[in-house]
Amino acid sequence: MSATYDGFPAAVGVSWLRVYDWPTLDGRPGGGTPHLHLTCSEGYVVTAGRGAVQTLTTSGYQETPLEPGTVAWFTPGTIHRLINDGGLEITVVMQNSGLPEAGDAVLTLPQDLLTDTGTYADAVRVPADAPEAEQAEVARARRDLATRRFQELRKATESGDPEPLAAFQRAAAALVRPRLDAWEQRWRAGAHAATTATEAQFNALRAEDERHLAAARVAATGPAARGRFGMCGRLDVYPGS
């Protein structure tokens, strides 16, 4: 009997994002907090509004327009910043069972806030038990702090100085290193298990064994959390994806 993977297809995570409409430091109508992921690709399916995603890699800076129907994605190491020019709503598709929203993210904060996990955690924490207005204030201040560093990294990269971006990358890697064992367990239970199940099903069908079809099932869910203050906007987070 071949294995069956019961999680969301391909072990991706899904969330629904309304990008922050707080005006930005550089005069845009709204925008998210610049950050990168170290082990996960991420995709955007734009469902409403207009905007862009600004990206920075060692290859340089890029701005990709976003409008309903756009599907954009990027690989690990891409610093990305969402710009909301009006009503921007996105279904976010995340590799490795939603790991980007479960730890695989480092904000572009000043270097002195990236020195150790405790200092970084204090700098990015939005108090869940605080009144909503206070949470919004903290999230907005965090965004603006990261945006300033993003602009510095962009300026240095565009002027031909790769060291500030490289220093940020080194610091980000050091911050997540203590969590890699837990991340690997998530990957083994998710993406690795899904791929292994597919391989087993290929082998079973070649052997004229279709018994896994008898284990078919249907699942549905709703948001486990609504309106959470995320890195880029207000998030509806879905469990089991």
Side-chain angles (χ1 to χ4, degrees):
M1 173 69 73
S2 61
T4 297
Y5 176 72
D6 290 333
F8 199 75
V12 300
V14 176
S15 61
W16 181 58
L17 172 67
R18 290 162 289 162
V19 181
Y20 291 130
D21 58 3
W22 307 318
T24 68
L25 296 172
D26 50 351
R28 304 299 286 262
T33 307
H35 62 281
L36 61 69
H37 309 299
L38 291 97
T39 66
C40 296
S41 293
E42 184 171 86
Y44 296 151
V45 181
V46 182
T47 56
R50 294 288 189 279
V53 56
Q54 298 179 340
T55 54
L56 182 65
T57 69
T58 54
S59 298
Y61 170 82
Q62 183 175 342
E63 184 163 317
T64 302
L66 301 177
E67 61 182 18
T70 299
V71 177
W73 65 94
F74 39 85
T75 59
T78 303
I79 299 175
H80 47 289
R81 176 200 183 201
L82 279 168
I83 298 297
N84 182 2
D85 288 328
L88 186 58
E89 298 179 4
I90 294 171
T91 297
V92 183
V93 181
M94 298 166 284
Q95 194 177 4
N96 297 322
S97 305
L99 184 57
E101 283 291 345
D104 183 11
V106 176
L107 277 56
T108 55
L109 297 182
Q111 203 71 12
D112 62 344
L113 298 178
L114 307 176
T115 54
D116 62 84
T117 55
T119 299
Y120 177 78
D122 289 341
V124 301
R125 183 177 297 111
V126 176
D129 56 350
E132 183 169 307
E134 182 179 336
Q135 293 184 48
E137 182 178 354
V138 171
R140 185 170 182 173
R142 179 182 70 175
R143 182 202 67 174
D144 291 347
L145 186 63
T147 299
R148 290 188 184 94
R149 182 77 192 286
F150 173 76
Q151 292 169 337
E152 293 169 358
L153 295 174
R154 175 186 171 184
K155 182 178 179 180
T157 301
E158 291 184 323
S159 67
D161 180 5
E163 178 52 29
L165 179 55
F168 171 73
Q169 292 169 338
R170 290 193 297 269
L175 281 175
V176 305
R177 198 163 287 125
R179 308 180 69 180
L180 291 178
D181 287 348
W183 291 7
E184 183 173 352
Q185 291 176 11
R186 189 185 189 102
W187 166 75
R188 289 192 180 280
H192 183 266
T195 300
T196 300
T198 300
E199 181 182 27
Q201 290 160 7
F202 285 163
N203 292 335
L205 290 171
R206 286 192 179 97
E208 300 183 1
D209 177 0
E210 66 285 339
R211 285 176 291 171
H212 67 280
L213 301 180
R217 62 183 293 268
V218 177
T221 187
R226 292 184 183 272
R228 195 178 76 186
F229 285 93
M231 291 176 287
C232 296
R234 302 298 295 268
L235 282 174
D236 286 2
V237 181
Y238 289 79
S241 62

